[in-house]
Amino acid sequence: MLFALICKDKPENLQVRLDTRPEHIAFLEGLNGEKKLAFAGPFLDADGKPNGSLVVVEAPDLAAAEALSAADPYAKAGLFESVEIRQWNWTFNKPASA
């Protein structure tokens, strides 16, 4: 099953994001290597600066998706104001390999 992790950064926490980014990227690369990552990227504010994340993961159930979300270095660093996890269905423009 696919789950969308919809993460909103705490206000004024851009530096936390920037400082933690290398560990976050390594975490996503690990998920990708395990075939657990569908896609990911930041939400941007009006100035083009990141202020949240959309991460879509493959997990057997909601509990596993929650565990992946909690393991993200951004989450561990306290970057997020909120994280919404929703089961998601990739309907259009799904790559053949997904």
Side-chain angles (χ1 to χ4, degrees):
M1 280 182 248
L2 291 173
F3 290 88
L5 315 178
I6 304 162
C7 310
K8 181 179 177 184
D9 292 2
K10 292 177 184 172
E12 308 302 322
N13 256 344
L14 180 58
Q15 194 59 52
V16 172
R17 176 177 278 275
L18 296 175
D19 291 346
T20 312
R21 189 169 192 276
E23 292 87 358
H24 170 73
I25 295 298
F27 172 74
L28 293 179
E29 287 172 345
L31 291 181
N32 199 44
E34 297 170 2
K35 307 285 189 218
K36 293 180 181 178
L37 180 66
F39 61 86
F43 291 112
L44 304 175
D45 66 16
D47 296 323
K49 293 184 177 146
N51 65 355
S53 299
L54 173 61
V55 180
V56 177
V57 297
E58 178 74 37
D61 53 36
L62 179 60
E66 289 171 339
L68 288 175
S69 177
D72 186 330
Y74 280 168
K76 290 181 176 183
L79 174 63
F80 299 132
E81 178 177 83
S82 64
V83 177
E84 181 180 3
I85 302 175
R86 299 185 63 180
Q87 189 173 346
W88 188 70
N89 183 27
W90 197 335
T91 305
F92 290 98
N93 297 324
K94 181 177 180 181
S97 63

Coordinates of all heavy atoms in Angstrom, one line a residue:
M1 N 0.8 -1.2 0.0 CA 0.0 0.0 0.0 C 0.9 1.2 0.0 O 1.9 1.3 0.6 CB -0.9 0.1 1.3 CG -2.1 -0.8 1.3 SD -3.0 -0.5 2.8 CE -2.7 -2.2 3.5
L2 N 0.4 2.3 -0.7 CA 1.1 3.6 -0.6 C 0.5 4.5 0.4 O -0.7 4.5 0.6 CB 1.0 4.3 -2.0 CG 1.7 3.6 -3.1 CD1 1.4 4.3 -4.4 CD2 3.2 3.6 -2.9
F3 N 1.3 5.2 1.1 CA 0.9 6.2 2.1 C 1.6 7.5 1.8 O 2.8 7.5 1.6 CB 1.3 5.7 3.5 CG 0.5 4.5 4.0 CD1 0.9 3.2 3.7 CD2 -0.7 4.7 4.7 CE1 0.1 2.1 4.1 CE2 -1.5 3.6 5.1 CZ -1.1 2.3 4.8
A4 N 0.9 8.6 1.9 CA 1.4 9.9 1.7 C 1.7 10.5 3.1 O 0.8 10.5 4.0 CB 0.4 10.8 1.0
L5 N 2.9 10.9 3.3 CA 3.3 11.6 4.6 C 3.3 13.1 4.2 O 4.2 13.5 3.5 CB 4.7 11.1 5.0 CG 5.0 9.6 5.0 CD1 6.4 9.4 5.5 CD2 4.0 8.9 5.8
I6 N 2.4 13.8 4.8 CA 2.2 15.2 4.5 C 2.7 16.0 5.7 O 2.0 16.0 6.8 CB 0.7 15.5 4.2 CG1 0.3 14.6 3.0 CG2 0.6 17.0 3.9 CD1 -1.2 14.5 2.9
C7 N 3.9 16.6 5.6 CA 4.6 17.1 6.8 C 4.6 18.6 6.6 O 5.1 19.2 5.6 CB 6.0 16.6 6.8 SG 6.0 14.8 6.7
K8 N 4.3 19.3 7.7 CA 4.4 20.8 7.7 C 5.4 21.2 8.7 O 5.4 20.7 9.9 CB 3.0 21.4 8.1 CG 3.0 22.9 8.2 CD 1.6 23.4 8.6 CE 1.6 24.9 8.7 NZ 0.3 25.4 9.2
D9 N 6.4 22.0 8.3 CA 7.5 22.5 9.2 C 6.9 23.4 10.2 O 6.0 24.2 10.0 CB 8.6 23.2 8.4 CG 9.3 22.3 7.5 OD1 9.0 21.1 7.4 OD2 10.3 22.8 6.8
K10 N 7.6 23.4 11.4 CA 7.3 24.5 12.4 C 7.8 25.8 11.8 O 8.8 25.9 11.0 CB 8.1 24.2 13.7 CG 7.6 23.0 14.4 CD 8.5 22.7 15.6 CE 8.1 21.5 16.3 NZ 9.0 21.1 17.4
P11 N 7.1 26.9 12.1 CA 7.5 28.2 11.6 C 9.0 28.5 12.1 O 9.4 28.1 13.2 CB 6.6 29.2 12.3 CG 5.4 28.4 12.7 CD 5.9 27.0 13.0
E12 N 9.7 29.2 11.2 CA 11.0 29.7 11.5 C 12.0 28.6 11.8 O 12.9 28.7 12.6 CB 11.0 30.7 12.7 CG 10.0 31.8 12.6 CD 10.3 32.7 11.4 OE1 11.4 32.9 11.0 OE2 9.3 33.1 10.8
N13 N 11.8 27.4 11.2 CA 12.7 26.3 11.4 C 13.5 25.9 10.2 O 14.0 24.7 10.1 CB 11.9 25.1 11.9 CG 12.1 24.8 13.4 OD1 13.0 25.4 14.0 ND2 11.2 24.0 13.9
L14 N 13.7 26.8 9.2 CA 14.4 26.5 8.0 C 15.8 26.0 8.3 O 16.3 25.1 7.7 CB 14.5 27.7 7.1 CG 15.3 27.5 5.8 CD1 14.7 26.4 5.0 CD2 15.3 28.8 5.0
Q15 N 16.5 26.6 9.3 CA 17.9 26.2 9.7 C 17.9 24.7 10.1 O 18.9 24.0 9.8 CB 18.5 27.1 10.7 CG 20.0 26.9 10.8 CD 20.7 27.2 9.4 OE1 20.6 28.2 8.8 NE2 21.6 26.2 9.0
V16 N 16.9 24.3 10.9 CA 16.9 22.9 11.3 C 16.8 22.0 10.1 O 17.5 21.0 10.0 CB 15.6 22.6 12.2 CG1 15.5 21.2 12.5 CG2 15.8 23.4 13.5
R17 N 15.9 22.4 9.1 CA 15.8 21.6 7.9 C 17.2 21.5 7.2 O 17.6 20.5 6.7 CB 14.7 22.2 7.0 CG 14.6 21.6 5.6 CD 13.5 22.2 4.8 NE 12.2 21.7 5.2 CZ 11.7 20.5 4.7 NH1 12.4 19.9 3.8 NH2 10.5 20.1 5.1
L18 N 17.8 22.7 7.0 CA 19.1 22.7 6.3 C 20.2 21.9 7.0 O 20.9 21.2 6.3 CB 19.5 24.2 6.1 CG 18.6 25.1 5.2 CD1 19.1 26.5 5.2 CD2 18.5 24.5 3.8
D19 N 20.2 22.0 8.3 CA 21.2 21.3 9.1 C 21.0 19.8 9.0 O 22.0 19.0 9.1 CB 21.2 21.7 10.5 CG 21.7 23.2 10.7 OD1 22.3 23.7 9.8 OD2 21.5 23.7 11.8
T20 N 19.8 19.4 8.9 CA 19.4 17.9 9.0 C 19.3 17.3 7.6 O 19.2 16.1 7.5 CB 18.1 17.8 9.8 OG1 18.1 18.5 11.0 CG2 17.8 16.3 10.2
R21 N 19.3 18.1 6.6 CA 19.1 17.6 5.2 C 20.0 16.5 4.8 O 19.5 15.5 4.2 CB 19.2 18.7 4.2 CG 18.8 18.3 2.8 CD 18.6 19.5 1.9 NE 17.9 19.1 0.7 CZ 18.5 18.6 -0.4 NH1 19.8 18.3 -0.4 NH2 17.8 18.2 -1.5
P22 N 21.3 16.5 5.1 CA 22.1 15.3 4.7 C 21.7 14.0 5.2 O 21.6 13.0 4.5 CB 23.6 15.7 5.1 CG 23.5 17.2 5.2 CD 22.1 17.6 5.6
E23 N 21.3 14.0 6.5 CA 20.8 12.8 7.1 C 19.4 12.4 6.5 O 19.1 11.2 6.4 CB 20.7 12.9 8.7 CG 22.0 13.1 9.3 CD 22.5 14.5 9.4 OE1 21.9 15.4 8.9 OE2 23.6 14.7 10.0
H24 N 18.6 13.4 6.3 CA 17.3 13.1 5.7 C 17.4 12.5 4.3 O 16.8 11.5 4.0 CB 16.5 14.4 5.6 CG 15.2 14.3 4.8 ND1 14.1 13.7 5.3 CD2 14.9 14.8 3.6 CE1 13.1 13.8 4.4 NE2 13.6 14.5 3.3
I25 N 18.3 13.0 3.5 CA 18.6 12.5 2.1 C 19.1 11.1 2.2 O 18.7 10.2 1.5 CB 19.6 13.4 1.4 CG1 18.9 14.8 1.1 CG2 20.0 12.8 0.0 CD1 17.7 14.8 0.3
A26 N 20.0 10.8 3.1 CA 20.5 9.4 3.3 C 19.4 8.5 3.7 O 19.4 7.4 3.2 CB 21.7 9.4 4.3
F27 N 18.5 9.0 4.6 CA 17.4 8.1 5.0 C 16.5 7.8 3.8 O 16.1 6.6 3.6 CB 16.6 8.9 6.1 CG 15.3 8.3 6.4 CD1 15.3 7.1 7.2 CD2 14.1 8.8 6.0 CE1 14.0 6.5 7.6 CE2 12.9 8.2 6.4 CZ 12.9 7.1 7.1
L28 N 16.2 8.8 3.0 CA 15.4 8.6 1.8 C 16.1 7.7 0.8 O 15.4 6.8 0.2 CB 15.0 9.9 1.1 CG 14.1 10.8 1.9 CD1 13.8 12.1 1.1 CD2 12.8 10.1 2.3
E29 N 17.4 7.8 0.6 CA 18.1 6.9 -0.3 C 18.1 5.5 0.2 O 18.0 4.6 -0.6 CB 19.6 7.4 -0.4 CG 19.7 8.6 -1.2 CD 21.1 9.2 -1.2 OE1 22.0 8.9 -0.3 OE2 21.4 10.1 -2.1
G30 N 18.1 5.3 1.6 CA 17.9 4.0 2.1 C 16.6 3.4 1.8 O 16.4 2.2 1.4
L31 N 15.5 4.2 2.0 CA 14.2 3.7 1.7 C 14.1 3.4 0.2 O 13.4 2.4 -0.2 CB 13.1 4.8 2.0 CG 12.9 5.1 3.5 CD1 11.8 6.2 3.6 CD2 12.5 3.9 4.3
N32 N 14.7 4.2 -0.6 CA 14.6 4.0 -2.1 C 15.3 2.6 -2.4 O 14.8 1.9 -3.2 CB 15.3 5.1 -2.8 CG 14.9 5.2 -4.3 OD1 13.7 5.0 -4.6 ND2 15.9 5.4 -5.1
G33 N 16.5 2.4 -1.8 CA 17.2 1.1 -2.0 C 16.4 -0.1 -1.6 O 16.5 -1.2 -2.1
E34 N 15.5 0.1 -0.6 CA 14.7 -1.0 -0.1 C 13.4 -1.1 -0.8 O 12.5 -1.8 -0.4 CB 14.4 -0.8 1.4 CG 15.6 -0.8 2.3 CD 15.4 -0.4 3.7 OE1 14.2 0.0 4.1 OE2 16.3 -0.3 4.5
K35 N 13.2 -0.2 -1.8 CA 11.9 -0.2 -2.6 C 10.7 0.3 -1.8 O 9.6 -0.2 -2.1 CB 11.7 -1.5 -3.3 CG 12.8 -2.0 -4.1 CD 13.0 -1.3 -5.4 CE 14.0 -2.0 -6.3 NZ 14.8 -1.1 -7.1
K36 N 11.0 1.1 -0.8 CA 9.9 1.6 0.1 C 9.5 3.0 -0.3 O 8.5 3.5 0.3 CB 10.3 1.5 1.5 CG 10.4 0.1 2.0 CD 10.8 0.0 3.5 CE 11.0 -1.4 4.0 NZ 11.4 -1.4 5.4
L37 N 10.3 3.7 -1.1 CA 10.0 5.1 -1.4 C 9.5 5.2 -2.9 O 10.1 4.8 -3.8 CB 11.3 5.9 -1.3 CG 11.2 7.4 -1.7 CD1 10.3 8.1 -0.6 CD2 12.6 8.0 -1.7
A38 N 8.3 5.8 -3.0 CA 7.7 6.0 -4.3 C 8.2 7.4 -4.8 O 8.8 7.4 -5.9 CB 6.2 6.1 -4.2
F39 N 8.1 8.4 -4.1 CA 8.7 9.7 -4.4 C 8.7 10.6 -3.2 O 8.0 10.4 -2.2 CB 8.0 10.4 -5.6 CG 6.5 10.7 -5.4 CD1 6.1 11.8 -4.8 CD2 5.6 9.8 -5.9 CE1 4.7 12.1 -4.7 CE2 4.2 10.0 -5.7 CZ 3.8 11.2 -5.1
A40 N 9.4 11.7 -3.3 CA 9.5 12.7 -2.2 C 9.9 14.0 -2.6 O 10.6 14.1 -3.7 CB 10.4 12.1 -1.1
G41 N 9.6 15.1 -1.9 CA 10.1 16.4 -2.2 C 9.5 17.4 -1.2 O 8.5 17.1 -0.5
P42 N 10.1 18.6 -1.2 CA 9.6 19.6 -0.3 C 8.4 20.4 -0.8 O 8.3 20.6 -2.0 CB 10.8 20.5 -0.1 CG 11.5 20.4 -1.4 CD 11.3 19.0 -1.9
F43 N 7.6 20.9 0.1 CA 6.7 22.0 -0.2 C 7.5 23.3 -0.1 O 8.4 23.4 0.6 CB 5.5 22.0 0.8 CG 4.6 20.8 0.7 CD1 4.5 19.9 1.7 CD2 3.8 20.7 -0.4 CE1 3.6 18.8 1.6 CE2 2.9 19.6 -0.6 CZ 2.8 18.7 0.4
L44 N 7.1 24.3 -0.9 CA 7.8 25.5 -0.9 C 6.8 26.7 -0.5 O 5.6 26.7 -0.9 CB 8.3 25.8 -2.3 CG 9.3 24.7 -2.9 CD1 9.7 25.0 -4.3 CD2 10.5 24.5 -2.0
D45 N 7.4 27.7 0.1 CA 6.6 28.9 0.5 C 6.6 29.8 -0.7 O 7.2 29.5 -1.8 CB 7.1 29.5 1.8 CG 8.5 30.1 1.7 OD1 9.0 30.3 0.5 OD2 9.1 30.4 2.7
A46 N 6.0 31.0 -0.5 CA 5.9 32.0 -1.6 C 7.3 32.5 -2.1 O 7.4 32.9 -3.2 CB 5.1 33.2 -1.1
D47 N 8.3 32.4 -1.3 CA 9.7 32.8 -1.6 C 10.5 31.6 -2.2 O 11.7 31.8 -2.5 CB 10.4 33.4 -0.4 CG 9.7 34.6 0.1 OD1 9.2 35.4 -0.7 OD2 9.7 34.8 1.3
G48 N 9.9 30.5 -2.4 CA 10.6 29.3 -2.9 C 11.4 28.6 -1.9 O 12.2 27.7 -2.3
K49 N 11.2 28.8 -0.6 CA 12.0 28.1 0.4 C 11.2 27.0 1.0 O 9.9 27.1 1.1 CB 12.3 29.1 1.6 CG 13.3 30.2 1.1 CD 13.7 31.1 2.3 CE 14.7 32.1 1.7 NZ 14.6 33.4 2.3
P50 N 11.8 25.9 1.3 CA 11.1 24.7 1.8 C 10.4 24.9 3.1 O 11.0 25.6 4.0 CB 12.2 23.6 1.9 CG 13.5 24.3 1.9 CD 13.3 25.6 1.2
N51 N 9.2 24.4 3.2 CA 8.4 24.6 4.5 C 7.6 23.4 4.8 O 6.7 23.5 5.6 CB 7.5 25.9 4.4 CG 6.4 25.8 3.4 OD1 6.4 24.8 2.6 ND2 5.6 26.8 3.4
G52 N 7.9 22.3 4.2 CA 7.2 21.0 4.5 C 7.7 20.0 3.6 O 8.6 20.2 2.7
S53 N 7.1 18.8 3.7 CA 7.5 17.7 2.8 C 6.3 16.8 2.4 O 5.4 16.7 3.2 CB 8.5 16.7 3.6 OG 9.7 17.4 4.0
L54 N 6.4 16.3 1.2 CA 5.5 15.2 0.8 C 6.4 14.0 0.5 O 7.3 14.1 -0.4 CB 4.7 15.7 -0.5 CG 3.9 14.6 -1.1 CD1 2.8 14.1 -0.2 CD2 3.3 15.1 -2.4
V55 N 6.1 12.9 1.2 CA 6.9 11.7 1.0 C 5.9 10.6 0.9 O 5.0 10.4 1.7 CB 7.8 11.4 2.3 CG1 8.6 10.1 2.1 CG2 8.8 12.6 2.5
V56 N 6.0 9.9 -0.2 CA 5.0 8.8 -0.5 C 5.8 7.5 -0.4 O 6.8 7.3 -1.1 CB 4.3 8.9 -1.8 CG1 3.4 7.7 -2.1 CG2 3.5 10.2 -1.9
V57 N 5.4 6.6 0.6 CA 6.1 5.4 0.9 C 5.2 4.2 0.6 O 4.0 4.2 0.7 CB 6.6 5.4 2.3 CG1 7.6 6.5 2.6 CG2 5.5 5.5 3.3
E58 N 5.9 3.1 0.4 CA 5.2 1.8 0.3 C 5.3 1.1 1.7 O 6.4 1.0 2.2 CB 5.9 0.9 -0.7 CG 5.3 -0.5 -0.9 CD 4.0 -0.5 -1.6 OE1 3.8 0.3 -2.5 OE2 3.1 -1.4 -1.2
A59 N 4.2 0.7 2.3 CA 4.2 0.1 3.6 C 3.0 -0.9 3.7 O 2.0 -0.7 3.0 CB 4.1 1.1 4.7
P60 N 3.1 -2.0 4.4 CA 2.1 -2.9 4.5 C 0.8 -2.4 5.2 O -0.3 -2.9 5.0 CB 2.7 -4.1 5.3 CG 3.8 -3.6 6.0 CD 4.3 -2.4 5.2
D61 N 1.0 -1.4 6.1 CA -0.2 -0.9 6.8 C 0.2 0.4 7.4 O 1.3 0.9 7.4 CB -0.6 -1.9 7.9 CG 0.5 -2.3 8.9 OD1 1.4 -1.5 9.2 OD2 0.5 -3.5 9.3
L62 N -0.8 1.1 8.1 CA -0.6 2.4 8.6 C 0.5 2.4 9.7 O 1.3 3.3 9.8 CB -1.9 2.9 9.2 CG -1.9 4.3 9.9 CD1 -1.4 5.4 8.9 CD2 -3.3 4.6 10.4
A63 N 0.5 1.4 10.5 CA 1.5 1.3 11.6 C 2.9 1.3 11.0 O 3.8 2.0 11.6 CB 1.3 0.1 12.5
A64 N 3.1 0.6 10.0 CA 4.5 0.6 9.3 C 4.8 2.0 8.7 O 5.9 2.4 8.8 CB 4.5 -0.5 8.3
A65 N 3.8 2.6 8.1 CA 4.0 4.0 7.6 C 4.3 4.9 8.7 O 5.2 5.8 8.5 CB 2.8 4.4 6.8
E66 N 3.6 4.8 9.8 CA 3.9 5.7 11.0 C 5.4 5.5 11.5 O 6.0 6.4 11.8 CB 2.9 5.4 12.1 CG 1.5 5.9 11.8 CD 0.5 5.5 12.8 OE1 0.7 4.5 13.5 OE2 -0.6 6.1 12.8
A67 N 5.8 4.2 11.5 CA 7.2 3.9 11.9 C 8.2 4.5 11.0 O 9.2 5.1 11.4 CB 7.4 2.4 12.0
L68 N 8.0 4.4 9.7 CA 8.9 5.1 8.7 C 8.9 6.6 8.9 O 10.0 7.2 8.9 CB 8.4 4.8 7.3 CG 8.6 3.3 6.8 CD1 8.0 3.1 5.4 CD2 10.1 3.0 6.8
S69 N 7.8 7.2 9.1 CA 7.7 8.6 9.3 C 8.5 9.0 10.6 O 9.2 10.0 10.6 CB 6.2 9.0 9.5 OG 6.1 10.4 9.7
A70 N 8.3 8.3 11.7 CA 9.0 8.6 12.9 C 10.5 8.4 12.8 O 11.3 9.1 13.5 CB 8.4 7.7 14.0
A71 N 11.0 7.6 11.9 CA 12.4 7.3 11.7 C 13.1 8.4 10.9 O 14.3 8.4 10.9 CB 12.6 5.9 11.1
D72 N 12.4 9.2 10.2 CA 12.9 10.3 9.4 C 13.7 11.2 10.3 O 13.2 11.7 11.3 CB 11.8 11.0 8.7 CG 12.3 12.1 7.7 OD1 13.4 12.6 7.9 OD2 11.6 12.3 6.7
P73 N 15.0 11.5 9.9 CA 15.8 12.5 10.7 C 15.1 13.8 10.9 O 15.3 14.4 11.9 CB 17.1 12.6 9.9 CG 17.2 11.2 9.2 CD 15.8 10.9 8.8
Y74 N 14.3 14.3 9.9 CA 13.6 15.5 10.1 C 12.6 15.4 11.3 O 12.5 16.3 12.1 CB 12.8 15.9 8.9 CG 13.6 16.6 7.8 CD1 13.0 16.7 6.5 CD2 14.9 17.1 7.9 CE1 13.7 17.3 5.5 CE2 15.6 17.7 6.9 CZ 15.0 17.8 5.7 OH 15.6 18.4 4.6
A75 N 11.9 14.3 11.4 CA 11.0 14.1 12.5 C 11.8 14.0 13.8 O 11.4 14.6 14.8 CB 10.2 12.8 12.3
K76 N 12.9 13.3 13.8 CA 13.7 13.1 15.0 C 14.3 14.5 15.5 O 14.5 14.7 16.7 CB 14.8 12.1 14.8 CG 14.3 10.7 14.7 CD 15.5 9.8 14.5 CE 15.1 8.3 14.5 NZ 16.2 7.4 14.3
A77 N 14.5 15.4 14.5 CA 15.1 16.7 14.9 C 14.0 17.7 15.3 O 14.3 18.8 15.7 CB 15.8 17.3 13.7
G78 N 12.7 17.3 15.3 CA 11.6 18.1 15.8 C 11.2 19.2 14.7 O 10.7 20.2 15.1
L79 N 11.5 18.9 13.5 CA 11.3 19.9 12.4 C 9.8 20.2 12.2 O 9.3 21.3 11.9 CB 11.9 19.5 11.1 CG 11.6 20.4 9.9 CD1 12.1 21.8 10.0 CD2 12.2 19.7 8.6
F80 N 9.0 19.1 12.3 CA 7.6 19.2 11.8 C 6.6 19.7 12.9 O 6.6 19.2 14.1 CB 7.1 17.8 11.3 CG 7.9 17.3 10.2 CD1 8.4 16.0 10.2 CD2 8.2 18.1 9.1 CE1 9.1 15.5 9.1 CE2 9.0 17.6 8.0 CZ 9.4 16.3 8.0
E81 N 5.8 20.6 12.5 CA 4.7 21.0 13.3 C 3.5 20.0 13.3 O 2.9 19.8 14.3 CB 4.1 22.4 12.7 CG 2.9 22.9 13.4 CD 2.6 24.3 12.9 OE1 1.9 24.3 11.8 OE2 3.0 25.3 13.4
S82 N 3.4 19.4 12.1 CA 2.3 18.3 12.0 C 2.7 17.4 10.9 O 3.5 17.7 10.0 CB 1.0 18.9 11.6 OG 1.0 19.6 10.4
V83 N 2.3 16.1 11.0 CA 2.5 15.1 10.0 C 1.1 14.4 9.9 O 0.6 13.9 10.8 CB 3.5 14.1 10.4 CG1 3.6 13.0 9.4 CG2 4.9 14.8 10.6
E84 N 0.6 14.4 8.7 CA -0.6 13.7 8.4 C -0.2 12.5 7.5 O 0.5 12.7 6.5 CB -1.6 14.6 7.6 CG -2.9 13.9 7.3 CD -3.9 14.8 6.5 OE1 -3.5 16.0 6.2 OE2 -5.0 14.4 6.2
I85 N -0.7 11.3 7.8 CA -0.4 10.1 7.1 C -1.7 9.6 6.5 O -2.6 9.3 7.3 CB 0.3 9.1 7.9 CG1 1.6 9.6 8.5 CG2 0.6 7.8 7.1 CD1 2.3 8.7 9.5
R86 N -1.7 9.5 5.2 CA -3.0 9.0 4.5 C -2.7 8.0 3.5 O -1.7 8.1 2.7 CB -3.6 10.2 3.8 CG -4.0 11.3 4.8 CD -4.8 12.4 4.2 NE -6.0 11.9 3.7 CZ -6.9 12.6 3.1 NH1 -6.7 13.9 2.9 NH2 -8.1 12.1 2.6
Q87 N -3.5 6.9 3.4 CA -3.3 5.9 2.4 C -3.6 6.6 1.1 O -4.5 7.5 1.0 CB -4.3 4.8 2.6 CG -4.0 3.6 1.7 CD -4.9 2.4 2.0 OE1 -5.5 2.3 3.1 NE2 -4.9 1.4 1.1
W88 N -2.9 6.2 0.0 CA -2.9 7.0 -1.2 C -2.9 6.0 -2.4 O -2.3 4.9 -2.3 CB -1.7 7.9 -1.3 CG -1.7 8.8 -2.5 CD1 -2.6 9.9 -2.6 CD2 -0.9 8.8 -3.6 NE1 -2.3 10.6 -3.8 CE2 -1.2 9.9 -4.4 CE3 0.2 8.0 -4.0 CZ2 -0.6 10.2 -5.6 CZ3 0.8 8.3 -5.2 CH2 0.4 9.3 -6.0
N89 N -3.7 6.3 -3.5 CA -3.7 5.5 -4.7 C -3.2 6.3 -5.8 O -3.7 7.3 -6.2 CB -5.2 5.1 -4.9 CG -5.3 4.2 -6.1 OD1 -4.4 3.4 -6.4 ND2 -6.5 4.2 -6.8
W90 N -2.1 5.8 -6.4 CA -1.4 6.4 -7.6 C -2.2 6.0 -8.8 O -2.1 4.9 -9.3 CB 0.0 5.9 -7.6 CG 0.9 6.8 -8.5 CD1 0.6 7.6 -9.5 CD2 2.3 6.9 -8.3 NE1 1.7 8.2 -10.0 CE2 2.8 7.8 -9.3 CE3 3.2 6.3 -7.5 CZ2 4.1 8.1 -9.5 CZ3 4.6 6.6 -7.7 CH2 5.0 7.5 -8.6
T91 N -3.0 6.9 -9.4 CA -3.9 6.6 -10.5 C -3.3 7.1 -11.8 O -3.3 6.3 -12.8 CB -5.3 7.3 -10.2 OG1 -5.8 6.9 -9.0 CG2 -6.3 6.9 -11.3
F92 N -2.9 8.3 -11.9 CA -2.4 8.8 -13.2 C -0.9 9.0 -13.2 O -0.3 9.3 -12.2 CB -3.1 10.2 -13.5 CG -4.5 10.0 -13.9 CD1 -5.5 10.2 -12.9 CD2 -4.9 9.6 -15.1 CE1 -6.8 10.1 -13.2 CE2 -6.2 9.5 -15.5 CZ -7.2 9.7 -14.5
N93 N -0.3 8.8 -14.4 CA 1.2 9.0 -14.6 C 2.0 8.2 -13.7 O 3.2 8.6 -13.4 CB 1.5 10.5 -14.5 CG 0.9 11.3 -15.6 OD1 0.7 10.8 -16.7 ND2 0.4 12.5 -15.3
K94 N 1.6 7.0 -13.3 CA 2.4 6.1 -12.5 C 3.4 5.5 -13.4 O 3.1 4.9 -14.4 CB 1.5 5.0 -11.9 CG 2.2 4.1 -11.0 CD 1.2 3.1 -10.4 CE 1.9 2.1 -9.5 NZ 0.9 1.1 -8.9
P95 N 4.7 5.6 -13.0 CA 5.8 4.9 -13.8 C 5.6 3.4 -13.9 O 5.0 2.8 -12.9 CB 7.0 5.2 -13.0 CG 6.7 6.4 -12.1 CD 5.2 6.2 -11.8
A96 N 6.0 2.8 -15.0 CA 5.8 1.4 -15.2 C 6.5 0.6 -14.1 O 6.1 -0.5 -13.7 CB 6.3 1.0 -16.5
S97 N 7.6 1.2 -13.5 CA 8.4 0.5 -12.5 C 7.8 0.6 -11.1 O 8.3 -0.1 -10.2 CB 9.8 1.0 -12.5 OG 9.8 2.4 -12.1
A98 N 6.8 1.4 -10.9 CA 6.2 1.6 -9.6 C 5.2 0.6 -9.3 O 4.6 0.0 -10.1 CB 5.7 3.0 -9.5

